[in-house]
Amino acid sequence: MIWIVLGFITSILAIFIALSIGYIVSKTDAGTERMREIAHAIQEGARAFLKVQDLYLMIFVAVMAIVLYFTLGVYVSFSYVFGAIFSMLAGVIGMEVAVKANVRTTYFALKEGMRKAFLVAYLGGTVMGLMVVGSALAGITLFYWIFDDFQVLLGFSLGASSVALFTKAGGGIYTKTADIAADLVGKVELELPEDDPRNPAVIADNVGDNVGDVAGMASDLYDSYVASIIAAMVIGYEMFHNFGLPEIYIYFPIVIAAGGIIATLIGLSWVKIHAHEDPGSSLNRTTLVAVITYIIILYIFVQWFNANPAIFWATVAGLLAGAVMGYTTDYYTSIEKKPTQKVAEASVTGTAVNILMGFSYGIMSIVPGVIGVAIAMLVAWYISVYFGLYPIYGIAISAIGMLGIVGTIVSADAYGPIADNAKGIAEQAGLKEDVISLLDRLDAAGNTAKAITKGFAIGAAALTVIALFAAYAEIVNLQLLVDVINDVNNQVAVYPGRILNLVSPNVVSGLLIGAAMPPIISAMLILAVGRNTEVMIEDIRNQLRERPGIIKGTEKPDYARCVAIAEKGALKELILPGVTATVAPIIVGILLGIRALAAFLAGSIATGFLFALFMANSGGSWDNAKKYIEDGHFGGKGSEAHKAAVVGDTVGDPFKDTAGPTLNTMITVMSLIASTFAPIIAMLALFP
Amino acid sequence: MIWIVLGFITSILAIFIALSIGYIVSKTDAGTERMREIAHAIQEGARAFLKVQDLYLMIFVAVMAIVLYFTLGVYVSFSYVFGAIFSMLAGVIGMEVAVKANVRTTYFALKEGMRKAFLVAYLGGTVMGLMVVGSALAGITLFYWIFDDFQVLLGFSLGASSVALFTKAGGGIYTKTADIAADLVGKVELELPEDDPRNPAVIADNVGDNVGDVAGMASDLYDSYVASIIAAMVIGYEMFHNFGLPEIYIYFPIVIAAGGIIATLIGLSWVKIHAHEDPGSSLNRTTLVAVITYIIILYIFVQWFNANPAIFWATVAGLLAGAVMGYTTDYYTSIEKKPTQKVAEASVTGTAVNILMGFSYGIMSIVPGVIGVAIAMLVAWYISVYFGLYPIYGIAISAIGMLGIVGTIVSADAYGPIADNAKGIAEQAGLKEDVISLLDRLDAAGNTAKAITKGFAIGAAALTVIALFAAYAEIVNLQLLVDVINDVNNQVAVYPGRILNLVSPNVVSGLLIGAAMPPIISAMLILAVGRNTEVMIEDIRNQLRERPGIIKGTEKPDYARCVAIAEKGALKELILPGVTATVAPIIVGILLGIRALAAFLAGSIATGFLFALFMANSGGSWDNAKKYIEDGHFGGKGSEAHKAAVVGDTVGDPFKDTAGPTLNTMITVMSLIASTFAPIIAMLALFP
């Protein structure tokens, strides 16, 4: 009990520090009148979007809460609503600070130079990082404390994931609609530079960076983080209630997570740029310190609690898999590495070859990720078997290991769009070239962090959903397959994995349909971006036609109109994929049975993981291939190769920032829906 | 026994008719001197490629034969070699006739008009169609007759699939290298029309149509056809030896296949164009007659043999699933339907939007296919359970049902490139506009047939590999999982499906790695096309630079150099993906165990099926979107929209003609490798 209280205190500490940093950042000077004005427009746009999005979300949450109330009772419904609210709160507060930190970064760059500017941008990001881990752990400990019931915990996790699905899908559609429309009309047709104030879509584009990259990525990792902890706790419950194993396994995930928050806080205290240091290496140092501290803390905790040593090793395996995923993503998308340079080179032959190369290298990039996750899973399992720990629990723990330092990861990731926005504000405010180039360096430093975060987020989601898959198998087996378990009783003692027979037409059908889900949802999202972009391009062209003064710089474009289009379209378009992902597991479970539903989840995990990695890395590679050419290679800016690379970049935009990131959340939501509704599905299912 | 003889006689009859038609076609007049010359160049190129490819293949086959000799004995090795030779022979003879029929089609169009020209083209295609089914069934009956052993039959099937893998991958790389290089330099840079004789790559392009579309598609369906029959026979063996069910189930697949050949022959006799009829509807009529005849024959056979009525219904379910797949492919790729027109419309907004739309609609097109295959599988299974037939056998039978009329399908498919080549010859020979437009109509008629064939081939491959997966599960379970089977003994009586537990880290790893294989092989093949194309483009530019007379039409380009580049590159590049697909199942089986290998197969089936469909349909849609614009929509030829659509078409080329079609064969090869080497893998495996 004392440990739950300490876990809760740690989470409150993280929230307190986050709010304090937020307060300090918002009290610094926000710069000149013009800068304030631009920053204000971005803030307004971001707030307006979140406000409308949260309204839609509230309707969805209310409907789901009513469904949960009538199917699983008042407590699950209650925890679901709170899971959603906690996640939304973390997102809103984190983004409020991010949209304040951007203009202050610009101002510090103007007045104080690189080191202070970097600090402001980074501190702005840490608010989001700490809010995510703090509010997640606070919610979990609170609900565990009060209810001590795994259905209620699953409800909390499902609430967080519902928010994430909407935020990722909606934010992803928003940001890419604005980005592509701004590029196609502004850069390609009118040949305006990036972030030019004459482009009517420029504010929508800046808002998009915040709602997509800051709020979106944060809610993605928030939901993986919550789901990984709760998956382990659910398996802990089963171990306690069905195998009579000690209760410590239920709450130990909270202890591990609290250790991760402490490690994150220690890591963050190391952030500063030493003399002549690149800002990128400061970011990397923070992560490294957090990882090492985390491993030490874990070792101490496992000793202290006299817990099974397999827990320590499983966590380390998860952390290492995370590192592999992160660095692979960096390798395949970095401007300094061969794959991206090959994609740039292919642009010389033509647009089609650029597309084909980026597509293919993106796919090749899944190899190390697949092997890394497979090895982490195998190590976690067999080390658990060796030390006599319930092996499914070991896999769940390795997912928490990967996500333990998620506070650091989110902080470094949120830094990226803050620096990017700071540069945008500087350009729109017409600041001098040296300030812009300084902010450019800060922006570039965020790119590696961002690439690593993406790989990391995908790997974490994969391990988490594998843990959730195991949790689902536990839940349905224990309730329904007691006969099968008794049949293979002598196996249960050694090998407590449940039987899910793959040689059945229902199971194979479930696998096929599940495998088809991630590509289908991706296609829906890409089509949504396409439709929405066309509307916005139309509007930009109309604005430029109606008011010829805009292009001459004598008249201000109506930024709000583009913001409104992006917003309305995104919210309209996220409904179909959102509802499909929510309803599909229930339909498959009822029509084909609970075993087919398990295979459905396995199939969706496999392709979801592959597509998320491939789309993130193809998109990143196309993006950087364009930048590589802009740096003066293969003819440089304006050459035929550059035009080809711009097309590649545009194709990659919805891959890497809309469809790819939504997949993580989507497979988590589907797994949670399956687990939460398992009793209902089992009751209604047409097949066993 | 009598039935085996009759099956053998039917197959010999098909071969005899094929050879007779081939003889008749080759005896007709081959046209003017200039036409003969062009046709000769294409023939030479195709022969040269097949000769070198078959040489490489022979080396590969020899190595595999030695491996099989030392691991599984002389008979399996022997049947493997013959499976390869039979498949190669069907390809060589079919293509010999196809490259003769093309110029004759041109000549008949010039001299006799549409109806006779259509007949020559179609008869040319039927030679391939009948050779495929004839030699496949002849080989199977012969080896069953002599050896009566399922390992030997699996060896035969593996031989056929090895050939198919090389032919699809090699032919696919060849044809797209030539096509893309010819387009990028010829059409885009020099603005030459299609099939212009001044383009040095024109002959390579025409050769490519034959080696890719004729020989490639034929060997693809050859291997699915053989594998589906043998998978059912293997399951029949298990039923006979382990459950004491009647022996008829072993040879009944041969009877069903023979019925399909008879139906195909009857269907082919209906081919002729009625007055004022579109050639496309004649093609469709042939297929329809074959399907109806096949259903009637099946019904009679099942009654006659007093076989289980479930066999009839399972076959019909397979046939219907094939129809769904075919018509869906047509819907998503036809120039007259909404998806393709939307892709064309998107080209107006820009190249990137065209790419994104084509990509997304291609993915959306998997929905009906997935549902169709799932329903066919469920129907086959539960109808078998209802009628008391071993349900896995029912699924295998439904695959044969889908492939029963493959002779008709291959004939209609081979017609396409013959008509296409005929048009090319007419253009190079400078024939009059009315002849070319007549041949254009013949060519267009082939497109629907081709789209349907592709969907059909993918669906057939999916059902076949599911049957092979079941056969593998049978083989390894019966040898190794007897303990598990005894544990759930009371289940075996009702539900003889074997237990393959999905809740194990090895099995989940196997699933993940298996699911990653098809995208990885696709990426390898696309990268291969990219590399090879760059070499060829370089050479075309050199030729044009060295000999300025070429472009003025005063000098002949060196066609053979381009042919040699396409050939050398294709054969070099197919080694890596070919060997990867062959070796991966063995490595996974040994490192992770035979259960993980089963999951590996399941994963590769799921993504292989999805990627094959998506790539075929995206590619088809991009292709026709371009044609739609060329027909005068959205600005027509030469507009910005057209340029965007050309890029989309080029991206789609290796999708639909290299990577996509190879996947069918790849998953078949991996399943057969797993089944054939099962005893060796089980012996060496590190895990149970």
Side-chain angles (χ1 to χ4, degrees), chain A residues 381-382 498 500-502 505-506, chain B residues 382 498 500-502 505-506:
Chain A
W381 181 282
Y382 287 104
R498 301 287 177 255
L500 170 64
N501 189 6
L502 201 56
N506 297 50
Chain B
Y382 287 104
R498 300 288 178 255
L500 169 64
N501 189 5
L502 200 55
N506 298 49

Side-chain angles (χ1 to χ4, degrees), chain B residues 67-91:
Chain B
V67 172
L68 284 165
Y69 176 82
F70 283 107
T71 51
L72 297 164
V74 61
Y75 298 140
V76 176
S77 170
F78 181 74
S79 70
Y80 173 81
V81 172
F82 270 81
I85 290 175
F86 272 52
S87 169
M88 268 188 255
L89 266 187

Side-chain angles (χ1 to χ4, degrees), chain B residues 177-413:
Chain B
T177 299
D179 187 12
I180 297 175
D183 278 6
L184 281 185
V185 184
K187 283 204 226 168
V188 179
E189 287 180 17
L190 305 174
E191 302 190 346
L192 298 175
E194 175 95 34
D195 289 324
D196 191 288
R198 288 169 294 174
N199 192 331
V202 71
I203 293 292
D205 190 11
N206 287 323
V207 170
D209 287 346
N210 288 295
V211 298
D213 292 350
V214 183
M217 183 57 90
S219 65
D220 180 9
L221 284 165
Y222 186 99
D223 98 304
S224 292
Y225 184 65
V226 170
S228 70
I229 297 171
I230 285 177
M233 291 176 78
V234 169
I235 297 168
Y237 270 102
E238 299 294 341
M239 288 158 69
F240 175 66
H241 290 294
N242 295 291
F243 303 114
L245 294 170
E247 204 173 356
I248 172 181
Y249 292 115
I250 302 177
Y251 64 79
F252 206 65
I254 293 178
V255 175
I256 298 178
I261 293 182
I262 296 168
T264 296
L265 290 172
I266 294 174
L268 295 185
S269 67
W270 279 64
V271 101
K272 62 176 82 106
I273 306 187
H274 298 289
H276 308 297
E277 197 188 26
D278 181 69
S281 49
S282 172
L283 284 175
N284 292 343
R285 188 173 52 242
T286 320
T287 312
L288 195 68
V289 170
V291 167
I292 293 169
T293 317
Y294 187 38
I295 292 178
I296 295 169
I297 290 176
L298 271 172
Y299 187 77
I300 294 170
F301 278 10
V302 168
Q303 295 292 330
W304 200 351
F305 281 79
N306 204 9
N308 193 310
I311 289 180
F312 175 72
W313 294 109
T315 327
V316 173
L319 257 177
L320 289 182
V324 169
M325 304 280 303
Y327 285 102
T328 313
T329 304
D330 185 46
Y331 173 76
Y332 274 97
T333 58
S334 164
I335 201 162
E336 285 155 18
K337 300 283 169 13
K338 222 178 96 183
T340 293
Q341 294 180 359
K342 283 258 173 191
V343 174
E345 194 190 326
S347 317
V348 178
T349 316
T351 311
V353 187
N354 165 289
I355 302 283
L356 288 170
M357 283 281 168
F359 180 86
S360 305
Y361 278 116
I363 288 180
M364 294 309 286
S365 76
I366 65 184
V367 176
V370 167
I371 295 174
V373 165
I375 290 179
M377 191 165 53
L378 290 163
V379 167
W381 181 283
Y382 287 104
I383 270 205
S384 302
V385 169
Y386 179 78
F387 284 109
L389 180 72
Y390 190 58
I392 288 177
Y393 190 73
I395 288 180
I397 288 291
S398 79
I400 307 183
M402 205 159 174
L403 283 156
I405 53 152
V406 79
T408 318
I409 304 285
V410 173
S411 302
D413 190 61

Side-chain angles (χ1 to χ4, degrees), chain A residues 356 360 363 367 377 381-382 487 498-503 505-506 509 515 519-520 523 526-527 607 610 651 687, chain B residues 356 360 363 367 377-378 381-382 487 498-503 505-506 509 515 519-520 523 526-527 607 610 651 687:
Chain A
L356 289 170
S360 305
I363 287 179
V367 177
M377 191 164 54
W381 181 282
Y382 287 104
D487 274 336
R498 301 287 177 255
I499 300 292
L500 170 64
N501 189 6
L502 201 56
V503 188
N506 297 50
S509 297
I520 289 169
I526 294 171
L527 288 173
T607 53
L610 300 179
V651 170
F687 286 93
Chain B
L356 288 170
S360 305
I363 288 180
V367 176
M377 191 165 53
L378 290 163
W381 181 283
Y382 287 104
D487 275 334
R498 300 288 178 255
I499 299 292
L500 169 64
N501 189 5
L502 200 55
V503 188
N506 298 49
S509 297
I520 289 169
I526 293 172
L527 289 173
T607 53
L610 300 179
V651 169
F687 287 92

